[in-house]
Amino acid sequence: MSAPAEPAAIPRTPRQEQRCAQILESAQLLLHEREYEQVQVREVAEHAGVALGTLYRYFPSKELLYAHALLAWSDTFEHRVLSRDPETTNDADRLRALLRGAVRAYERAPNFFRLLTILEVTPDPAAREVYARFSRRFTTVLDDALVDTHEDDAASIAFVAGAALGVALRGWALQGRPIRTTYEHVDATVDLIFGEPRRQSSSVGMS
């Protein structure tokens, strides 16, 4: 798994590392309360107890700040939500558990998914690079779960499953579809990957 991306000004002392961690923690806490557009960078600095100039020294733009906040959030996301269930015994069950875990995480923190859709198209190259690390990290988690699948196929399955998850979550977060529909799409995706598509039944009584 790739190492977390460094902020613009790399913290070199324990105090600087603590300050940077406080900033990211504050950014996450405020995002739990309000959507990304409603959070001001000044509020993050005040919540973290640092000067606004100090925050900008580490994170020159709001997009870069929140790209790092998303990456930091994903550490907890992976540890607590995407950890493997010891009861799962095959790749289909492991993949299903991971995808459902991701849905649960975003269901509990919907503003983080909306942030993700913003960072996908950010013009800020530094923020885009950090977001790419976040995206690769999740795909790697899916890939690593497919222990019984050939590595070439596992990479393709992880890509397809991640893409299907993103589409299903957008339907919920951006289009107002019920969250249960997202879970249903996740289950159907796994069933299609590891099973066979259902065939149309023959029409009865055709002449």
Side-chain angles (χ1 to χ4, degrees), residues 58-121:
Y58 290 111
F59 308 104
S61 71
K62 183 181 178 182
E63 289 83 1
L64 182 59
L65 166 63
Y66 269 97
H68 278 281
L70 181 66
L71 195 63
W73 177 74
S74 74
D75 291 335
T76 303
F77 174 77
E78 290 175 24
H79 178 69
R80 295 184 180 178
V81 182
L82 296 182
S83 57
R84 289 185 189 173
D85 184 344
E87 299 298 320
T88 57
T89 58
N90 57 63
D91 284 358
D93 288 343
R94 282 187 286 269
L95 182 62
R96 191 188 311 275
L98 289 172
L99 295 175
R100 280 182 154 263
V103 175
R104 282 194 299 273
Y106 287 119
E107 183 180 6
R108 293 168 183 160
N111 291 339
F112 281 80
F113 183 75
R114 296 187 184 100
L115 168 65
L116 184 154
T117 65
I118 292 169
L119 293 175
E120 281 181 326
V121 296

Side-chain angles (χ1 to χ4, degrees), residues 151-161:
E151 61 182 11
D152 292 340
D153 291 338
S156 298
I157 288 172
F159 176 79
V160 169

Side-chain angles (χ1 to χ4, degrees), residues 92-177:
D93 288 343
R94 282 187 286 269
L95 182 62
R96 191 188 311 275
L98 289 172
L99 295 175
R100 280 182 154 263
V103 175
R104 282 194 299 273
Y106 287 119
E107 183 180 6
R108 293 168 183 160
N111 291 339
F112 281 80
F113 183 75
R114 296 187 184 100
L115 168 65
L116 184 154
T117 65
I118 292 169
L119 293 175
E120 281 181 326
V121 296
T122 177
D124 184 328
R128 201 162 55 236
E129 189 274 335
V130 177
Y131 171 75
R133 293 194 184 196
F134 166 83
S135 182
R136 288 194 299 269
R137 172 182 285 188
F138 181 68
T139 302
T140 299
V141 170
L142 298 181
D143 194 343
D144 289 347
L146 302 172
V147 296
D148 299 323
T149 302
H150 189 282
E151 61 182 11
D152 292 340
D153 291 338
S156 298
I157 288 172
F159 176 79
V160 169
L165 174 67
V167 171
L169 284 168
R170 279 172 177 76
W172 160 68
L174 306 180
Q175 300 171 14
R177 295 176 186 168

Side-chain angles (χ1 to χ4, degrees), residues 6-7 9-24 58:
E6 298 289 355
I10 301 174
R12 301 185 183 279
T13 68
R15 179 171 175 75
Q16 289 173 336
E17 290 177 356
Q18 181 183 20
R19 188 178 297 152
C20 190
Q22 288 172 338
I23 292 170
L24 292 176
Y58 290 111

